[in-house]
Amino acid sequence: MTTGQQAKESRRHKDQALPGPTMRAIVQEGYGPADVLHEAQVPRPAIAENEVLVKVHAAGLDRGTWHVTTGLPYALRLVYGFKAPKNPVPGMDLAGTVEAVGAKVTRFAAGDQVFGSGKGTFAEYSAARESQLAHKPENISYEQAAVVPVSACAALIALRAGGIDPGRGPSSQGVKVLVTGASGGVGSYAVQFAKAAGAEVTGVASTAKVDMVSSLGADHVIDYTKQDFADGSVLYDVIIDIAGNPSVSRLRRSLAPSGTAVITGGEEGGTWTGSMDRQLRAAALSPFIRQRLTMIVGTQKAADLEFLAGLLEAGTITPAIHRTYPLAQVPEAMRYFDAGNVRGKVAITI
């Protein structure tokens, strides 16, 4: 019997010994690449008085889940666990039906269709705080709803930090907005939010993803392999820098004298802090210059989720799903995501 077969046999016996109701889930016993992920039977989560037990129909794969799986940058382990994640089941986005509610939950009842953020959503059931859920619009699928919460909330917070409010209609006409990483999960929503606000939107993407960004409604698309957005030909009033890695000086060169740059991510940098040092440097510089440089932390709140539900129901935004994978193929989905091939979002069906 091979080592892999022995490990599977060990897990099988462990699964058989679990007390109480169990469920299928993707789990990881340590940090690393997609190979650390595997399917197992685990206990169904218990819920607190302010939580909802959701029967998960679909989940979303996002950059945050990738960070938790790999344990990079290392600073994240101070929050999620030093040697392995405290919660062995990855996943944050979800859409499904309410199975049960805690004693203090007032907004939901068993059978309600919901979407939002939960704990360990790559599983048949997930516990989610009432404050991180909203009712799912009837006109979108569970897969579409599942890829909204983390990415769309981050994009919404970033646009608001830049003074763009998609909830006020075309209130930003004439405002030039640049979105780097426009073909990604957060970027695909940022482009749509900025267009909903009436801004003139330029998206930055690779050659293979230019058409996708155009389909989101971007007025202009820059292929970063052929053109430098910071060449000085256009100055932008707002820059939303998502998962890019331009230096602070490059961002400033492409920013109007009194413009705002919002830095929301970046996948390079050191293994200890990742791109956080770039964001902190920008925030430290901002008080001493006319331009405004800021950073945001993505959160999922009921009010924002309900607002997004309204936009989804009205067709103002549309989730861009590139691929859908069944639960058992989460490791394959993670490899595809890590390779940088995804346009928009990846959904996981349970």
Side-chain angles (χ1 to χ4, degrees):
M1 183 179 292
T2 67
T3 301
Q5 289 173 329
Q6 290 174 340
K8 289 182 179 179
E9 186 69 12
S10 175
R11 288 198 296 265
R12 186 177 68 83
H13 288 302
K14 183 179 178 180
D15 293 342
Q16 291 175 345
L18 291 173
T22 63
M23 64 178 184
R24 292 170 55 232
I26 297 296
V27 301
Q28 62 179 109
E29 282 84 25
Y31 295 113
D35 294 344
V36 303
L37 301 170
H38 63 85
E39 186 177 336
Q41 287 289 131
V42 301
R44 189 182 299 183
I47 55 172
E49 57 186 9
N50 64 339
E51 291 183 327
V52 174
L53 182 65
V54 179
K55 181 176 176 58
V56 182
H57 297 304
L61 175 56
D62 63 278
R63 180 58 64 177
T65 298
W66 178 89
H67 282 299
V68 174
T69 300
T70 60
L72 297 173
Y74 291 131
L76 290 177
R77 302 189 186 195
L78 298 175
V79 177
Y80 292 104
F82 183 67
K83 293 184 178 180
K86 297 172 185 176
N87 181 2
V89 181
M92 293 183 281
D93 281 337
L94 63 78
T97 54
V98 174
E99 185 79 5
V101 299
K104 291 188 176 180
V105 172
T106 60
R107 296 171 50 235
F108 303 104
D112 285 353
Q113 297 182 1
V114 297
F115 76 112
S117 295
K119 293 178 287 188
T121 62
F122 291 170
E124 291 181 303
Y125 294 89
S126 173
R129 293 179 182 176
E130 180 183 24
S131 61
Q132 293 185 303
L133 291 175
H135 291 90
K136 182 185 81 66
E138 294 184 0
N139 63 324
I140 65 171
S141 67
Y142 285 111
E143 290 81 6
Q144 288 176 308
V147 300
V148 170
V150 170
S151 295
C153 282
L156 185 63
I157 293 168
L159 265 293
R160 288 172 174 167
I164 307 294
D165 187 355
R168 296 175 57 193
S171 58
S172 297
Q173 290 182 342
V175 177
K176 289 182 170 63
V177 176
L178 178 76
V179 179
T180 70
S183 64
V186 178
S188 62
Y189 289 112
V191 169
Q192 295 182 74
F193 289 148
K195 283 303 299 178
E200 180 181 340
V201 182
T202 299
V204 181
S206 63
T207 305
K209 301 175 182 179
V210 165
D211 289 345
M212 179 266 186
V213 177
S214 293
S215 72
L216 295 172
D219 299 288
H220 317 283
V221 184
I222 293 175
D223 180 346
Y224 65 73
T225 68
K226 299 178 181 179
Q227 180 184 351
D228 182 6
F229 70 82
D231 61 8
S233 60
V234 179
L235 296 181
Y236 300 95
D237 302 297
V238 178
I239 297 176
I240 308 297
D241 180 42
I242 305 164
N245 295 285
S247 65
V248 174
S249 60
R250 284 188 67 217
L251 288 176
R252 292 192 61 199
R253 282 202 304 271
S254 53
L255 193 61
S258 58
T260 298
V262 183
I263 304 175
T264 67
E267 302 312 319
E268 295 182 5
T271 56
W272 285 98
T273 60
S275 67
M276 188 60 67
D277 57 343
R278 182 175 66 109
Q279 299 179 41
L280 293 174
R281 287 199 308 272
L285 176 64
S286 187
F288 304 100
I289 59 176
R290 285 183 61 195
Q291 295 166 324
R292 180 169 171 262
L293 310 176
T294 188
M295 55 185 281
I296 64 107
V297 176
T299 58
Q300 300 80 53
K301 298 180 181 179
D304 286 343
L305 291 167
E306 294 289 0
F307 172 71
L308 292 172
L311 296 182
L312 291 162
E313 192 167 27
T316 304
I317 61 171
T318 302
I321 298 179
H322 184 189
R323 284 193 177 185
T324 300
Y325 292 83
L327 183 66
Q329 293 181 14
V330 163
E332 181 181 339
M334 188 68 77
R335 292 186 193 98
Y336 190 77
F337 181 91
D338 193 27
N341 297 319
V342 177
R343 299 172 179 85
K345 296 289 295 182
V346 169
I348 308 298
T349 57
I350 292 88

